[in-house]
């Protein structure tokens, strides 16, 4: 599920109490549904299916800012306006099962980038596939 916002945001907390311009369901962390290219934000909430126990590393490559949480634990937070995309990562031990996942993202102006990837037992870093995401 996603909520899409328009406004002057310089932090992931700036749109927390705003009313979304639109909401919907998407198969992945897809920002292509934006209605303009500047001063926008997205809040994605869903679940991720973990099929094998192990250490999973989650990556967020974002410009301008964002936050990635899995199972209620903040793994990545990149706040503030930037003129370049900035990737952060964090590892988490997970057992097989379904976990809440949330991605918040905002874009001020210029370069627009938001990509969520992962790596884990038996696979290298890749964009999180749609077949492990659900709502």
């Amino acid at each position: 599920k996603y909520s899409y916002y328009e406004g002057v945001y310089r932090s992931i907390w700036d749109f927390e109490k705003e009313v979304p311009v639109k909401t919907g369901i998407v198969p992945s962390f897809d920002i292509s549904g934006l209605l303009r290219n500047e001063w926008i934000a997205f809040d994605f909430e869903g679940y991720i299916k973990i099929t094998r126990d192990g250490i999973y590393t989650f990556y967020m490559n974002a410009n301008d800012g964002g936050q990635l949480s899995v199972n209620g634990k903040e793994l990545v937070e990149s706040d503030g306006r930037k003129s370049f995309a900035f990737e952060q990562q964090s590892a988490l031990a997970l057992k097989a099962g379904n976990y809440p996942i949330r991605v918040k993202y905002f874009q001020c102006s210029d370069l627009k980038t938001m990509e969520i990837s992962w790596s884990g037992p038996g696979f290298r870093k890749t964009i999180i596939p749609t077949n492990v995401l659900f709502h």
Side-chain angles (χ1 to χ4, degrees):
K1 299 186 299 185
Y2 77 92
S3 296
Y4 166 79
Y5 304 87
E6 293 180 344
V8 178
Y9 309 122
R10 291 189 174 89
S11 166
I12 57 160
W13 308 108
D14 288 351
F15 55 94
E16 189 171 60
K17 294 185 174 96
E18 297 278 324
V19 175
V21 172
K22 70 177 183 171
T23 60
I25 306 294
V26 288
S28 65
F29 305 108
D30 180 8
I31 62 170
S32 66
L34 53 84
L35 302 175
R36 63 186 194 189
N37 289 320
E38 298 181 323
W39 305 107
I40 56 100
F42 282 89
D43 187 356
F44 297 93
E45 292 184 85
Y47 293 88
I48 187 164
K49 182 176 186 170
I50 302 298
T51 58
R52 187 172 165 191
D53 295 0
I55 305 295
Y56 290 80
T57 301
F58 292 86
Y59 308 82
M60 181 175 204
N61 187 21
N63 168 274
D64 285 298
Q67 179 188 58
L68 168 62
S69 301
V70 175
N71 200 29
K73 178 180 167 73
E74 180 184 290
L75 299 178
V76 169
E77 184 177 323
S78 174
D79 236 352
R81 190 173 184 180
K82 297 173 210 58
S83 59
F84 56 90
F86 179 68
E87 183 175 79
Q88 291 184 294
Q89 68 184 51
S90 187
L92 183 64
L94 295 170
K95 295 199 174 288
N98 299 324
Y99 296 90
I101 186 167
R102 186 172 189 184
V103 172
K104 295 169 110 181
Y105 166 76
F106 71 92
Q107 169 60 35
C108 298
S109 60
D110 303 320
L111 180 65
K112 180 176 65 255
T113 302
M114 200 279 290
E115 189 175 89
I116 307 298
S117 305
W118 70 338
S119 61
F123 66 95
R124 295 181 189 265
K125 181 182 171 190
T126 185
I127 299 293
I128 297 177
T130 58
N131 68 330
V132 299
L133 297 172
F134 61 99
H135 68 280

